[in-house]
Amino acid sequence: MNIFVINSGSSSIKYQLFKIPSEKPVCSGLLERIGLSESTITHKVFIDNEEKVIKKRLTLPTHEAGLLEVAALLTDKNTGVIKEPEDIEVVGHRVVHGGETFAATAVINDAVKEEIKRLFPLAPLHNPANYTGIEVAEKIFTKAVQVAVFDTAFHQAMPEKAFRYAIPQSFYKDLRIRAYGFHGTSHKYVSQRAAEYLHNPKARIITIHLGNGCSMAAVDGGKSIDTSMGFGPLSGLVMGTRSGDIDPSVIFHLVDEVGYELDKVKALLNKQSGMQGLTGFSDMRDISKAIAEGDREAEMAYEMYAYRIKKYIGAYTAVLNGLDAIVFTAGVGENDENVRKRACANLDFLGIKLDDERNKVPSSGLKEISTENSPVKILVIPTNEELEIAQQCYELLSK
């Protein structure tokens, strides 16, 4: 089954084409700066296990113009992987927010599209862009079944005691204010891989997604029972530019006593805080370099970042009533050995014992970095949200 996966952003489109059940993409790509000057396309084709990279600089005024260029690349007579756009059988769309309506992947129809639009206020930076991707794909891949895979769906298994906030009930019943959680596609993918590795479908697993955005999930027998992000993607861990957990009194103080407008507070906590606010850098590679050069503020920020992860490990181990594995994933989780080392330090009493040498060895696939006698397995598993989306589409349509 030819499944084309699209992740549509406000000025970008990431994509991969899979011939499921094969897990290897036949092509992938990224369109950037859509609607801006000098847009770019980076298109990668995998032919006979060899990667061919095609790069273009051009003007792409709209998402439709961008996806038409992609369709041309997919059907190119020399490097194309399909004969015509009609060969695409399914288009799988990443949709960030599914609210309480979508606890699973859904075939897109008019009702689904209206619900995605209704949820725009809950994810104003993402859902409108995801919706645009759907409308454009419907025009270009006319014979394909369009399918939505929601970031929030995996966390819909959380019990009410975990997702409710201690505010008047009307705010939940009338306004649906509750914790939804995000990065669900990633948490689902790596927790499944971990359970397969452990040969234990009932495994109790903490998944730790560390990119520019960061979140953790407590997964019990394949179901998310708690997660660190909430109503929006601001709460929980220290992130690249987001503050993570902060006392709401700080917001009141900034507004009432310092004179901040709410828009300024919003920008502060979402775009100017986290590691960016603490160090001047949002990229962990830059922060690691600053630490090596003796920057004390960078060192403290690194400690805060790892400390917050450790606090959630303790909390989620309690929620799960024990632990079988911890999984690190995403850009920082997969590549920063020092973050993993600091986050797991001094947790022996929980059965978490990291092997320093294993932790240092680079790997492009799943690797175990716990000691031989560690009761809890510590794993690094590269996330693959596009593959997870393709597989969920396949499972839905193969029933």
Side-chain angles (χ1 to χ4, degrees), residues 229-246:
M229 284 181 170
F231 181 71
L234 183 58
S235 63
L237 304 179
V238 177
M239 307 181 215
T241 65
R242 298 182 196 132
S243 65
D245 289 339
I246 189 168

Side-chain angles (χ1 to χ4, degrees), residues 1-5 16-25 90-93 105 147-149 185 188-190 192-193 196 383-399:
M1 187 181 289
N2 286 332
I3 301 180
F4 189 55
V5 176
Q16 289 194 31
L17 175 61
F18 294 89
K19 292 182 180 292
I20 296 292
S22 172
E23 294 189 352
K24 290 186 177 180
V90 183
V91 180
H93 297 268
T105 298
V147 176
V149 179
T185 307
K188 185 175 190 290
Y189 177 82
V190 298
Q192 286 178 332
R193 290 293 184 269
E196 290 166 5
T383 193
N384 193 332
E385 292 166 284
E386 288 80 13
L387 174 58
E388 177 63 29
I389 290 170
Q391 289 177 329
Q392 287 192 39
C393 292
Y394 182 73
E395 289 167 11
L396 176 69
L397 298 174
S398 298
K399 291 178 181 178

Side-chain angles (χ1 to χ4, degrees), residues 72-114:
L73 288 165
L74 293 174
T75 57
D76 183 86
K77 64 179 181 180
N78 296 317
T79 58
V81 291
I82 56 174
K83 290 183 180 179
E84 55 188 1
E86 288 74 15
D87 290 341
I88 299 295
E89 298 165 80
V90 183
V91 180
H93 297 268
R94 180 200 181 204
V95 180
V96 165
H97 216 304
E100 289 192 315
T101 307
F102 300 106
T105 298
V107 172
I108 296 170
N109 54 28
D110 288 343
V112 170
K113 287 168 69 175
E114 282 305 308

Side-chain angles (χ1 to χ4, degrees), residues 234-295:
L234 183 58
S235 63
L237 304 179
V238 177
M239 307 181 215
T241 65
R242 298 182 196 132
S243 65
D245 289 339
I246 189 168
D247 182 349
S249 299
V250 173
I251 298 170
F252 308 144
H253 179 78
L254 290 174
V255 172
D256 296 338
E257 304 299 330
V258 184
Y260 271 52
E261 297 289 334
L262 281 175
D263 282 349
K264 190 174 180 181
V265 177
K266 184 178 180 180
L268 169 70
L269 297 181
N270 279 287
K271 298 179 180 179
Q272 300 158 15
S273 296
M275 300 304 275
Q276 177 71 41
L278 291 167
T279 70
F281 304 108
S282 61
D283 192 307
M284 277 297 194
R285 291 166 293 191
D286 294 327
I287 295 163
S288 295
K289 183 180 177 183
I291 291 171
E293 293 171 352
D295 187 326

Side-chain angles (χ1 to χ4, degrees), residues 24 45 80 96 129 199 225 227 327 332-333 351 355-356 366 384 399:
K24 290 186 177 180
V45 185
V96 165
H199 304 290
I225 62 169
T227 190
V327 178
V332 177
D355 186 302
D356 281 344
L366 184 153
N384 193 332
K399 291 178 181 178

Side-chain angles (χ1 to χ4, degrees), residues 148-383:
V149 179
F150 300 90
D151 270 11
T152 51
F154 182 56
H155 301 303
Q156 283 297 298
M158 287 192 296
E160 192 169 1
K161 64 185 178 184
F163 70 68
R164 286 283 297 272
Y165 292 120
I167 55 179
Q169 291 192 20
S170 61
F171 285 87
Y172 170 60
K173 292 180 178 178
D174 299 336
L175 301 175
R176 315 315 286 174
I177 294 176
R178 50 158 285 180
Y180 289 99
F182 299 91
H183 296 142
T185 307
S186 176
H187 288 294
K188 185 175 190 290
Y189 177 82
V190 298
S191 61
Q192 286 178 332
R193 290 293 184 269
E196 290 166 5
Y197 178 79
L198 298 170
H199 304 290
N200 181 7
K202 296 182 179 180
R204 297 163 298 180
I205 300 167
I206 295 173
T207 50
I208 307 173
H209 178 107
L210 304 176
N212 191 47
C214 304
S215 65
M216 290 173 62
V219 182
D220 190 1
K223 293 184 177 180
S224 172
I225 62 169
D226 208 341
T227 190
S228 59
M229 284 181 170
F231 181 71
L234 183 58
S235 63
L237 304 179
V238 177
M239 307 181 215
T241 65
R242 298 182 196 132
S243 65
D245 289 339
I246 189 168
D247 182 349
S249 299
V250 173
I251 298 170
F252 308 144
H253 179 78
L254 290 174
V255 172
D256 296 338
E257 304 299 330
V258 184
Y260 271 52
E261 297 289 334
L262 281 175
D263 282 349
K264 190 174 180 181
V265 177
K266 184 178 180 180
L268 169 70
L269 297 181
N270 279 287
K271 298 179 180 179
Q272 300 158 15
S273 296
M275 300 304 275
Q276 177 71 41
L278 291 167
T279 70
F281 304 108
S282 61
D283 192 307
M284 277 297 194
R285 291 166 293 191
D286 294 327
I287 295 163
S288 295
K289 183 180 177 183
I291 291 171
E293 293 171 352
D295 187 326
R296 287 188 68 254
E297 295 299 328
E299 172 66 29
M300 177 51 65
Y302 212 84
E303 282 294 314
M304 290 172 63
Y305 185 95
Y307 180 73
R308 189 74 58 86
I309 295 168
K310 184 180 292 190
K311 282 186 17 175
Y312 271 92
I313 289 174
Y316 286 170
T317 302
V319 166
L320 290 164
N321 190 28
L323 191 60
D324 296 301
I326 290 173
V327 178
F328 288 93
T329 193
V332 177
E334 294 167 29
N335 297 299
D336 196 318
E337 65 184 72
N338 289 315
V339 163
R340 298 192 298 259
K341 181 176 180 178
R342 294 187 192 211
C344 293
N346 301 317
L347 291 178
D348 300 49
F349 75 104
L350 291 180
I352 299 168
K353 301 178 182 179
L354 182 135
D355 186 302
D356 281 344
E357 294 307 312
R358 285 181 173 182
N359 186 40
K360 291 176 184 176
V361 178
S363 173
S364 59
L366 184 153
K367 70 173 180 178
E368 183 178 328
I369 59 173
S370 43
T371 63
E372 291 290 344
N373 66 342
S374 177
V376 175
K377 298 291 186 185
I378 308 172
L379 307 173
V380 179
I381 303 179
T383 193

